[in-house]
Amino acid sequence: MKMSLEPELKVQMELDAHEKECAIRYEMVHGKLASLDKRMWRLEAMIMGSTIIVVGLAASVMMKM
């Protein structure tokens, strides 16, 4: 009976170690995605601001003609 439990315990220990490693990796990926999300918001705001400026300049040029 002892021989039949050892492989099961070994598999359970390996599975537990794998789950811990995946949890650490998941936290790292989640942190990187959060920082990328902030960067994307900043880029989006810059693009929208630039678009507003270009449209405003185009409108002012058209008004002078």
Side-chain angles (χ1 to χ4, degrees), residues 26-59:
Y26 176 77
E27 287 297 321
M28 290 174 56
V29 168
H30 183 67
K32 287 182 181 183
L33 285 176
S35 68
L36 284 174
D37 185 49
K38 291 176 186 175
R39 291 172 74 184
M40 289 296 292
W41 275 103
R42 281 194 303 255
L43 284 171
E44 189 175 270
M46 288 173 57
I47 290 170
M48 288 184 346
S50 298
T51 302
I52 291 171
I53 290 171
V54 168
V55 169
L57 287 173

Side-chain angles (χ1 to χ4, degrees), residues 1-19:
M1 181 113 182
K2 185 177 181 183
M3 294 296 274
S4 66
L5 287 179
E6 284 184 16
E8 293 169 357
L9 290 175
K10 182 179 177 185
V11 169
Q12 185 62 42
M13 289 173 51
E14 289 175 357
L15 185 60
D16 290 340
H18 176 74
E19 288 176 352

